[in-house]
Amino acid sequence: TTAIAYCKDATATALTATASGGHTLVWYDTDGTTKLSGAPTPLTSSVGTTTYYVAQNNTLTGCEGPQTTITITVNALPVAPTATTTIDYCEDDAAVALSATASSGHTLVWYGSDGTTVLSGAPTPSTSSAGTTNYYVAQNATLTDCEGPKTTITVTVSGTPVAPTVSDVSYCNNETATALTATASTGNTLVWYDASQTGITTPTPSTSSVGSVTYYVAQQTASGCEGPKSLVTVTINALPVAPTATTAIAYCKDATATALTA
């Protein structure tokens, strides 16, 4: 016989022993005195060590020999590994491999989204489409090869909004300008950028110089996912010069006047 080790709650099988020719096995319970009807199947519901006994009986003489002990060890399962269990990405973000912390003397075992497919290492989530995916990780005790319960890591990929609706704006030189506007979808906020695409607050264009100025605006979801930018062009038009006209006209009282010209 040989000693046998199980992990807690593993499925156990009946004990075995090898009898000599012309002999039958006689099994005893853990007290060494209570005879059993056959080979026992150990319980694995509790951690610890249990000893069973087996002897062989000579079929011809009915004589029973000394007992052999079989030691059954039920090893504890490691706890579930520590991990950040909720991870959020925006669609098409650059993702990194998932991570978890194993206890000393343990290794991590990663599983795919089905919870059963063992992976070669920590997976890197796909962010190519919006949705939620669960991954699983357990830890395995190096000495006992017992694997504990899984930790679930939920990865949520949020969709990005479309570019907001905008219109180009024109002003006359030195006209009073108002803050730029754009239309965002319900639940989204606007994010403004200057011509160098540096983030700014909602801009009010300067009209002091003639020319065109470019601004950009995107919309951002409540979860912080920002979509593509829309381009807003603000054009400041030059003022025409003063018209040419005779600037001083004299009449005699009650003379017939004509319409002014320029």
Side-chain angles (χ1 to χ4, degrees):
T1 62
T2 57
I4 299 173
Y6 284 105
C7 298
K8 184 177 182 296
D9 297 324
T11 301
T13 57
L15 301 181
T16 60
T18 303
S20 305
H23 295 72
T24 57
L25 295 172
V26 184
W27 289 95
Y28 291 86
D29 205 353
T30 56
D31 58 7
T33 57
T34 302
K35 286 186 178 182
L36 303 175
S37 59
T41 298
L43 294 176
T44 63
S45 57
S46 298
V47 173
T49 300
T50 306
T51 301
Y52 291 90
Y53 303 86
V54 61
Q56 54 181 347
N57 186 285
N58 187 302
T59 306
L60 292 178
T61 65
C63 294
E64 183 178 312
Q67 293 171 338
T68 295
T69 59
I70 302 178
T71 301
I72 308 299
T73 301
V74 179
N75 295 304
L77 301 180
V79 298
T82 302
T84 300
T85 56
T86 302
I87 298 175
D88 294 312
Y89 283 107
C90 297
E91 194 171 2
D92 296 325
D93 274 356
V96 296
L98 300 181
S99 62
T101 302
S103 306
S104 177
H106 295 71
T107 57
L108 294 173
V109 184
W110 289 94
Y111 291 86
S113 57
D114 59 3
T116 57
T117 301
V118 178
L119 306 177
S120 59
T124 299
S126 170
T127 63
S128 60
S129 59
T132 298
T133 306
N134 288 331
Y135 296 89
Y136 305 87
V137 59
Q139 54 180 343
N140 185 284
T142 305
L143 291 178
T144 64
D145 197 31
C146 289
E147 183 176 313
K150 301 179 180 75
T151 295
T152 303
I153 300 177
T154 301
V155 178
T156 300
V157 179
S158 298
T160 53
V162 298
T165 302
V166 297
S167 297
D168 291 337
V169 180
S170 293
Y171 286 104
C172 296
N173 189 205
N174 295 322
E175 184 180 354
T176 300
T178 58
L180 297 182
T181 61
T183 303
S185 304
T186 302
N188 296 333
T189 56
L190 295 172
V191 184
W192 289 91
Y193 296 88
D194 63 14
S196 64
Q197 300 200 34
T198 300
I200 56 175
T201 57
T202 305
T204 298
S206 170
T207 62
S208 61
S209 299
V210 173
S212 294
V213 181
T214 298
Y215 295 92
Y216 299 90
V217 61
Q219 51 180 336
Q220 188 179 75
T221 65
S223 61
C225 294
E226 185 176 313
K229 300 179 181 72
S230 292
L231 172 67
V232 181
T233 300
V234 178
T235 303
I236 311 300
N237 297 303
L239 299 180
V241 298
T244 302
T246 301
T247 58
I249 301 172
Y251 283 104
C252 295
K253 183 176 181 294
D254 295 328
T256 299
T258 59
L260 299 179
T261 61

